[in-house]
Amino acid sequence: MGKHDSAHIVWDWNGTLFHDNEAIIGATNAASAELGLEPITLEQYRALYCVPVPRFYERLMGRLPTKAEWEVMDDIFHRYYAEHRALCGLTEGAAELLAGWRSAGHSQSLLSMYVHDELVPLVQGFGIEPHFIRVEGRVGPSGGSKAEHMVRHLGTLGDVEPGRTVVIGDAADDAVAAQAAGAKAVLYTGGSHGRASLEEAGVPVVDSLAEAVAEAERLVA
């Protein structure tokens, strides 16, 4: 796509481009049941979710899970999620927005904390991989912040300028990651966080991906 002098978007996957709320809640409840916890609703999840993820379970349990408990819960979560993600699809309008951003001559990439070897074929299966100059998932342990990954991700993109980059995600941690990398952020309410918790991040908060892209254009105008 040539030199990327114009705006760049780094997209989040789970809860942003990929509408997987039901699979996430089901997997969370399956993992929590291992410790005898009651199931939670999407609204409760959005009110409590945070990273590092063990801190989220601390909010549910009243204490941090032990290392052994975390490993078991993490395994259950990912096994359940892998079984149920097939029922999920792209967020409404996502494919068209990706195509439109690319057609406008801008660049975009995808950075997710979902495991890389499972993310890539999932993205390919939706036929949207050509819209991205890089698709990158997590390699290594789960549960941490996206910040260091975002710094490294933007560092691999060559001509992309962090100051003209907007991170679009559904979690407050996406804003933290953007700040760490010198980029801007727009947060979307359709995923893991409710509006109130997202607004605490101090960046624009929107209710649709179309609004997110429009806000990204404004931020780098």
Side-chain angles (χ1 to χ4, degrees), residues 2-4 8 17 28 34 45 64 71-72 77 87 101 104 111 123 135 148 150 153 166 168 182 202-203 212:
K3 182 175 175 60
H4 307 303
H8 180 82
L17 288 176
T28 298
E34 178 67 19
Y45 179 89
L64 276 171
E71 289 175 351
V72 170
F77 178 95
L87 301 176
W101 186 260
L111 176 63
V123 173
V135 173
E148 62 182 280
M150 184 67 69
H153 178 79
V166 179
I168 297 179
V203 302

Side-chain angles (χ1 to χ4, degrees), residues 42-141:
L42 176 60
E43 290 71 24
Q44 290 171 314
Y45 179 89
R46 285 174 166 166
L48 295 172
Y49 182 75
C50 62
V51 294
V53 179
R55 294 288 183 185
F56 164 63
Y57 285 105
E58 180 182 26
R59 293 180 174 184
L60 294 179
M61 300 167 59
R63 64 173 176 83
L64 276 171
T66 66
K67 184 175 184 294
E69 288 172 337
W70 166 248
E71 289 175 351
V72 170
M73 294 168 72
D74 192 47
D75 179 66
I76 292 172
F77 178 95
H78 284 98
R79 281 194 285 111
Y80 182 102
Y81 180 83
E83 293 172 5
H84 291 79
R85 71 185 184 197
L87 301 176
C88 304
L90 295 177
T91 300
E92 182 179 358
E96 294 79 8
L97 289 167
L98 293 173
W101 186 260
R102 184 186 182 196
S103 296
H106 304 309
S107 61
Q108 55 199 330
S109 58
L110 173 57
L111 176 63
S112 172
M113 296 299 283
Y114 190 47
V115 62
H116 181 80
D117 289 345
E118 296 184 32
L119 172 69
V120 172
L122 191 54
V123 173
Q124 291 173 335
F126 284 111
I128 58 174
E129 187 184 25
H131 297 312
F132 303 110
I133 61 173
R134 185 175 181 85
V135 173
E136 186 176 3
R138 174 179 53 80
V139 177

Side-chain angles (χ1 to χ4, degrees), residues 10 40 62 138 142 171 182 193:
V10 179
I40 62 172
R138 174 179 53 80
S142 64
H193 281 38

Side-chain angles (χ1 to χ4, degrees), residues 134-164:
R134 185 175 181 85
V135 173
E136 186 176 3
R138 174 179 53 80
V139 177
S142 64
S145 173
K146 187 183 277 189
E148 62 182 280
H149 301 276
M150 184 67 69
V151 173
R152 186 169 57 248
H153 178 79
L154 288 183
T156 67
L157 299 184
D159 296 328
V160 169
E161 298 179 19
R164 292 190 56 75

